[in-house]
Amino acid sequence: DTEVTQTPKHLVMGMTNKKSLKCEQHMGHRAMYWYKQKAKKPPELMFVYSYEKLSINESVPSRFSPECPNSSLLNLHLHALQPEDSALYLCASSQDRGGNQPQHFGDGTRLSIL
Amino acid sequence: QKEVEQNSGPLSVPEGAIASLNCTYSDRGSQSFFWYRQYSGKSPELIMSIYSNGDKEDGRFTAQLNKASQYVSLLIRDSQPSDSATYLCAVKDSNYQLIWGAGTKLIIKP
């Protein structure tokens, strides 16, 4: 069982919908990440939060909006997505952003845009 | 442009044999190296971390690091069909960014 929990596991939404992806970890990690992964490709970094502050935004379109309410929670708010945004969305956490610690992934949310 | 390179495969190995997966990286200042296993439709799972030159063993898995050659490898002994997956090499560069290889698809033939 993963120690990073993502909900929902699957999400189907229309292009005009608003939805949110949620991620929770209870390992005391201070860095949390959102990745997007397309089939047969490696994960692609979207956002990094370090000590609850956004430290990296990899030029992600504004239809994706991250939020870190506290050190254990990370949300990704979705609005007016496009069909090409269909992908596996992965949340990860690590002890902190620097140093040698690995990132641990949740099971992901499979997102389909109609 | 910092890069991590892996052969995309597929790499086909008979059951019970040793599978050898290789990865090269471009940033000589990299300090942390990771191997993740990813089954189709699932999320990446950390299987090995290595930080210093030499070998690190964990059960059937051995990670090898050679910083002079900028090369990291993963050996899987006594390969099982359940080892069939895509193996992703990830390298934390000198700016603490995690750079991913494209992954090697491994197929273990019964």
Side-chain angles (χ1 to χ4, degrees):
Chain A
D1 287 339
T2 181
E3 295 184 80
V4 178
T5 303
Q6 288 188 245
T7 55
K9 293 193 185 306
H10 302 275
L11 179 62
V12 179
M13 58 187 287
M15 289 190 282
T16 58
N17 293 156
K18 286 185 182 181
K19 296 285 185 183
S20 297
L21 309 185
K22 297 187 182 299
C23 176
E24 187 170 8
Q25 58 88 14
H26 293 290
M27 295 181 281
H29 289 174
R30 303 315 299 264
M32 296 185 76
Y33 310 80
W34 279 116
Y35 287 89
K36 173 183 178 181
Q37 189 177 26
K38 301 284 267 186
K40 302 188 191 304
K41 297 288 187 183
E44 180 184 337
L45 184 65
M46 300 174 72
F47 303 104
V48 181
Y49 273 82
S50 179
Y51 289 84
E52 300 161 52
K53 292 191 184 337
L54 183 65
S55 62
I56 293 178
N57 175 340
E58 291 286 2
S59 302
V60 178
S62 59
R63 57 186 185 266
F64 295 91
S65 176
E67 178 195 18
C68 188
N70 60 54
S71 60
S72 300
L73 292 173
L74 188 64
N75 298 323
L76 186 63
H77 303 298
L78 314 173
H79 174 53
L81 295 193
Q82 303 299 306
E84 61 265 28
D85 297 323
S86 298
L88 180 66
Y89 287 82
L90 296 162
C91 175
S93 70
S94 65
Q95 196 163 346
D96 57 49
R97 193 171 80 82
N100 291 333
Q101 301 85 3
Q103 295 178 20
H104 299 271
F105 286 82
D107 289 340
T109 294
R110 175 73 58 188
L111 177 65
S112 298
I113 307 301
L114 300 179
Chain B
Q1 181 79 3
K2 295 172 183 174
E3 294 181 338
V4 174
E5 296 194 354
Q6 296 181 256
N7 188 319
S8 62
L11 174 65
S12 187
V13 173
E15 184 176 356
I18 295 175
S20 178
L21 303 160
N22 304 315
C23 173
T24 59
Y25 59 95
S26 63
D27 182 2
R28 197 168 276 281
S30 300
Q31 295 293 326
S32 311
F33 307 86
F34 309 100
W35 284 100
Y36 287 83
R37 177 175 64 198
Q38 188 170 25
Y39 294 114
S40 181
K42 302 295 186 182
S43 66
E45 174 192 6
L46 179 71
I47 53 171
M48 289 290 280
S49 306
I50 188 166
Y51 307 107
S52 54
N53 279 330
D55 293 1
K56 179 181 177 183
E57 188 174 318
D58 184 0
R60 296 186 297 112
F61 298 97
T62 299
Q64 299 175 317
L65 176 61
N66 183 326
K67 289 185 179 180
S69 300
Q70 295 174 241
Y71 176 94
V72 58
S73 65
L74 179 71
L75 301 179
I76 307 174
R77 288 183 300 282
D78 187 24
S79 297
Q80 302 297 309
S82 59
D83 295 325
S84 297
T86 295
Y87 288 80
L88 294 159
C89 174
V91 176
K92 194 172 275 193
D93 69 13
S94 47
N95 292 321
Y96 303 112
Q97 292 280 77
L98 196 61
I99 311 298
W100 293 85
T104 298
K105 183 172 183 176
L106 176 65
I107 298 172
I108 306 300
K109 297 183 299 185

